[in-house]
């Protein structure tokens, strides 16, 4: 069962060292080529793009993400395609091209809004809010942070809710709305999130 093995290897990558991940990606790519499977190719390209992005090779990451998008558009995998658009947007953001980033985040939002998926939609809304804030569009950023928080609450994922509530507070601080930011931060801290998040919000 080559496809089953490949799917398990994709999951296993999350637990591996960088060197081992590279070898695993090569094995999954060989299986994808043997099966002529665009879905598996897209998985490899998306993961490879993430590796390249973390390594600071943004040009290579952009190439991998574009190739993943091409493969995913062939098979109509909306959820993975939206995730790749968010990752691709971050490449533009890393170059300071926040308008370019927003265009990719918008594509992800448009794909996800008609679906019941809320985690990925929250991620895309949050990324959009950050880019808008960097462009000085403070009021627009707050609208997207608030939308992201609503989606997080619909998801029922408390960690995601805490994350978005804290990010909204950050947006409020940037906008000078300290009286609104304080209770949002206090609410997150009161729920005793994991230490790294709690420390960040205290700061």
């Amino acid at each position: 069962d080559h496809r089953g093995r490949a799917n398990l290897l994709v999951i296993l990558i999350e637990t591996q060292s960088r060197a081992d991940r590279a070898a695993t990606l090569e094995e999954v790519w060989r299986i994808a080529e043997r099966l002529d499977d665009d879905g598996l190719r897209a998985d490899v390209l998306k993961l490879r793009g993430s590796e390249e992005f973390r390594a600071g090779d943004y040009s290579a990451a952009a190439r991998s993400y574009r190739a993943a998008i091409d493969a995913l558009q062939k098979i109509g995998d909306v959820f993975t395609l939206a995730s790749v658009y968010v990752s691709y947007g971050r490449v533009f953001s890393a170059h300071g091209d926040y308008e370019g980033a927003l265009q990719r985040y918008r594509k992800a939002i448009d794909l996800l809004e008609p679906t019941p998926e809320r985690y990925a939609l929250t991620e895309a809304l949050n990324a959009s809010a950050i880019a808008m804030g960097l462009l000085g569009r403070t009021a627009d950023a707050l609208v997207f942070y608030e939308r992201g928080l609503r989606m997080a609450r619909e998801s029922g994922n408390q960690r995601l809710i805490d994350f978005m509530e804290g990010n909204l507070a950050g947006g409020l601080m940037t906008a000078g709305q300290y009286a609104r930011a304080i209770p949002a931060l206090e609410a997150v801290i009161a729920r005793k999130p994991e230490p790294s998040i709690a420390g960040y919000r205290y700061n």
Side-chain angles (χ1 to χ4, degrees), residues 122 146 148-157 160-161 165 191:
T122 301
E146 286 165 349
L149 180 56
R150 284 199 301 276
M151 294 303 101
R153 285 175 173 151
E154 285 185 19
S155 77
N157 183 318
L160 187 61
I161 294 167
E165 199 158 35
R191 285 194 289 271

Side-chain angles (χ1 to χ4, degrees), residues 56-170:
D57 191 346
Y58 300 141
S59 295
R63 286 193 297 273
S64 294
Y65 290 138
R66 282 195 300 269
I69 288 166
D70 289 343
L72 290 162
Q73 286 175 332
K74 290 180 189 176
I75 61 176
D77 183 343
V78 169
F79 301 112
T80 309
L81 179 57
S83 174
V84 173
Y85 270 125
V86 171
S87 297
Y88 191 22
R90 288 184 178 133
V91 175
F92 284 81
S93 188
H95 282 290
D97 182 358
Y98 305 119
E99 290 290 357
L102 280 170
Q103 290 173 23
R104 276 74 193 174
Y105 301 149
R106 179 77 255 173
K107 288 178 182 292
I109 292 166
D110 289 344
L111 286 165
L112 293 168
E113 276 188 326
T115 76
E117 169 57 48
R118 288 294 173 259
Y119 193 101
L121 179 55
T122 301
E123 183 182 37
L125 290 165
N126 180 66
S128 297
I130 292 169
M132 288 171 182
L134 291 166
L135 285 167
R137 294 167 52 186
T138 308
D140 291 333
L142 287 178
V143 170
F144 274 72
Y145 280 129
E146 286 165 349
R147 284 178 64 193
L149 180 56
R150 284 199 301 276
M151 294 303 101
R153 285 175 173 151
E154 285 185 19
S155 77
N157 183 318
Q158 191 59 55
R159 189 174 188 278
L160 187 61
I161 294 167
D162 292 344
F163 175 76
M164 281 311 304
E165 199 158 35
N167 280 14
L168 171 59

Side-chain angles (χ1 to χ4, degrees), residues 16-25 51-52 54-56:
Q16 293 181 318
S17 67
R18 186 176 177 187
D20 289 339
R21 287 197 300 269
T24 302
L25 281 173
E51 291 289 300
E52 291 159 345
R54 280 195 289 264

Side-chain angles (χ1 to χ4, degrees), residues 1-16 24-25 27-28 31 40 43 47:
D1 180 3
H2 297 295
R3 184 172 282 102
R5 176 177 176 77
N7 289 334
L8 288 170
L9 286 170
V10 167
I11 296 168
L12 181 65
I13 284 169
E14 298 297 324
T15 71
Q16 293 181 318
T24 302
L25 281 173
E27 182 175 352
V28 177
I31 295 171
L40 282 176
D43 283 338
L47 290 164

